[in-house]
Amino acid sequence: MNETFARIARLTALAAISGRENACFAQLREQTEGLFDEYITTPTGSFAGIIRCGKADAPLLLLDAHIDEIGFVVTEICDGGFLRAAAVGGIDTRVLSASEVTVYGKEAIRGVFTSKPPHLQEAGESRKKIELRDLYIDTGYDKEALSKLVTIGDAVGFYAPAQLLANGLVTSKAFDDRICAYAILRAVEAVDRSRLTTDICVLLSGGEEIGYVGARTAAFALCPDVAIALDVTNAYMPDGPRHKKDVRLGSGPVISYSATTSRAFTQTIVDTAKAQGVPYSVAGEPGATGTNAHVLQITRGGVPTALVSIPLRYMHTCAEVISADDAENTAALLRAFMENFPAAYAEKEAAIC
């Protein structure tokens, strides 16, 4: 667990606000040194590594997890060392008051969103919705010093180093979707390459939080034959929606059936989980899944795509919570699938078509 936690912590610590993912490319290269035969980066913020199986005309299996995270962009430098910021991606403003952040200017500086104490609030003010336009980031600098470090357009991210909770749970920022990136990298490290009959491309895509930009463009360039998108999914919590009652931390990956994913390909992943004894659950979704699976499956002439998710609590906050066991079980599922692809998928496709 110590090694798993340390590696998860390194991934979540990366600074990769949507649209500014290239800031973490050098660190990603360092963390994946020697893992891939080829490395690729794209102008739209995606980082990819390819493993060649050594067989002529081998198909390409794409494993995607988005590397970008929600955050903010500086819009104004104000008197007294304060900054105004706009949201990048979906931000729940209720969690912002007094949240700690990092401003990625000429150097990384710490700040905290302003918070009006209850002693100073006017009658009824506590019941009003917090709006980002009413908040500032307090850096402690004066305006002149701050202006030398920060410029309009600089990125801002939550400051929330990974912390261990009880029973193998971990909390941090950016588990959406770094925990899936961890699972993929863990799987390709463990895979028996002598059993591979397909090339493997790991796509750590950018821009998912602002419209699937990285997956849409990188998949077009990479030309995969099949793809698995990995993302997080909302897990059970008290007073949560009833349809999430079976999606629990520690229950393993969630495999989705939807109108925008390949049923044959998905069924093969389910069969792999059963054969390997990997705990999992299934989910039914009527249409677009809100993940990169939506754009991967319409790349070029169409790509058979499946969606595998890791349960997560408190999505799009600075205190997302996952189970390390779910990440390891997802990695085990991916490893087994890679070692048995494409024969198992071809048989399933033939049986269903």
Side-chain angles (χ1 to χ4, degrees), residues 77-82 141-143:
I77 302 172
C78 308
D79 291 335
F82 295 94
Y141 288 87
D142 60 40
K143 185 175 182 179

Side-chain angles (χ1 to χ4, degrees), residues 192-213:
D192 182 350
R193 298 195 181 196
S194 69
R195 296 183 59 181
L196 292 179
T197 57
T198 179
D199 294 338
I200 306 294
C201 177
V202 172
L203 174 62
L204 303 180
S205 53
E208 192 271 352
E209 301 292 359
I210 55 174
Y212 319 119
V213 176

Side-chain angles (χ1 to χ4, degrees), residues 197-270:
T197 57
T198 179
D199 294 338
I200 306 294
C201 177
V202 172
L203 174 62
L204 303 180
S205 53
E208 192 271 352
E209 301 292 359
I210 55 174
Y212 319 119
V213 176
R216 192 191 305 268
T217 53
F220 190 92
L222 293 165
C223 301
D225 294 283
V226 287
I228 303 176
L230 287 101
D231 211 326
V232 292
T233 187
N234 289 298
Y236 168 81
M237 58 177 289
D239 298 324
R242 290 185 61 188
H243 71 277
K244 289 293 184 180
K245 65 182 177 64
D246 295 325
V247 180
R248 295 178 180 261
L249 300 187
S251 62
V254 180
I255 304 169
S256 294
Y257 292 99
S258 87
T260 58
T261 53
S262 166
R263 189 171 186 85
F265 191 25
T266 300
Q267 188 59 50
T268 307
I269 297 173
V270 171

Side-chain angles (χ1 to χ4, degrees), residues 2-349:
N2 288 341
E3 180 184 355
T4 296
F5 172 75
R7 296 179 64 182
I8 289 173
R10 285 198 298 271
L11 274 174
T12 59
L14 296 176
I17 310 303
S18 292
R20 294 158 179 81
E21 298 88 351
N22 61 353
C24 78
F25 284 177
Q27 291 165 291
L28 280 176
R29 182 63 184 264
E30 180 182 344
Q31 291 186 27
T32 60
E33 187 65 35
L35 190 57
F36 299 108
D37 299 316
E38 302 169 27
Y39 287 87
I40 300 168
T41 59
T42 75
T44 50
S46 295
F47 178 98
I50 299 176
I51 296 173
R52 298 296 182 186
C53 69
K55 296 176 173 57
D57 301 320
L60 180 66
L61 168 63
L62 177 71
L63 304 176
D64 167 80
H66 69 86
I67 199 67
D68 64 311
E69 61 185 297
I70 58 170
F72 311 88
V73 59
V74 174
T75 58
E76 185 179 352
I77 302 172
C78 308
D79 291 335
F82 295 94
L83 299 172
R84 282 189 182 273
V88 178
I91 304 287
D92 184 350
T93 56
R94 294 174 300 172
V95 306
L96 293 186
S97 182
S99 292
E100 296 179 76
V101 296
T102 302
V103 182
Y104 298 103
K106 291 180 180 177
E107 59 184 63
I109 63 175
R110 295 282 298 282
V112 60
F113 271 107
T114 53
S115 175
K116 194 172 185 179
H119 318 73
L120 303 181
Q121 293 176 9
E122 299 176 2
E125 190 173 357
S126 64
R127 294 192 294 272
K128 293 181 181 178
K129 180 183 177 182
I130 294 175
E131 300 286 355
L132 184 53
R133 64 174 176 267
D134 297 326
L135 297 177
Y136 296 82
I137 297 170
D138 188 350
T139 68
Y141 288 87
D142 60 40
K143 185 175 182 179
E144 182 180 359
L146 189 59
S147 297
K148 295 177 181 178
L149 296 173
V150 179
T151 58
I152 305 301
D154 284 345
V156 180
F158 286 119
Y159 176 77
Q163 300 288 333
L164 274 172
L165 303 179
N167 297 317
L169 302 190
V170 187
T171 182
S172 180
K173 72 174 182 72
F175 277 142
D176 178 10
D177 190 30
R178 307 281 172 77
I179 195 60
C180 292
Y182 168 79
I184 293 174
L185 295 175
R186 183 79 178 87
V188 297
E189 284 178 350
V191 73
D192 182 350
R193 298 195 181 196
S194 69
R195 296 183 59 181
L196 292 179
T197 57
T198 179
D199 294 338
I200 306 294
C201 177
V202 172
L203 174 62
L204 303 180
S205 53
E208 192 271 352
E209 301 292 359
I210 55 174
Y212 319 119
V213 176
R216 192 191 305 268
T217 53
F220 190 92
L222 293 165
C223 301
D225 294 283
V226 287
I228 303 176
L230 287 101
D231 211 326
V232 292
T233 187
N234 289 298
Y236 168 81
M237 58 177 289
D239 298 324
R242 290 185 61 188
H243 71 277
K244 289 293 184 180
K245 65 182 177 64
D246 295 325
V247 180
R248 295 178 180 261
L249 300 187
S251 62
V254 180
I255 304 169
S256 294
Y257 292 99
S258 87
T260 58
T261 53
S262 166
R263 189 171 186 85
F265 191 25
T266 300
Q267 188 59 50
T268 307
I269 297 173
V270 171
D271 292 345
T272 301
K274 290 179 180 177
Q276 298 295 320
V278 175
Y280 73 97
S281 58
V282 296
E285 305 184 60
T289 60
T291 70
N292 280 339
H294 179 61
V295 295
L296 292 173
Q297 57 101 22
I298 54 173
T299 295
R300 293 185 180 271
V303 177
T305 300
L307 172 62
V308 177
S309 303
I310 294 179
L312 172 143
R313 291 182 186 147
Y314 323 125
M315 191 181 296
H316 282 205
T317 73
C318 56
E320 296 173 337
V321 175
I322 57 90
S323 165
D325 286 345
D326 289 336
E328 295 295 344
N329 281 320
T330 301
L333 174 59
L334 294 175
R335 177 195 56 76
F337 187 81
M338 287 187 285
E339 291 176 352
N340 291 284
F341 182 89
Y345 170 62
E347 292 169 3
K348 181 65 65 177
E349 184 75 35

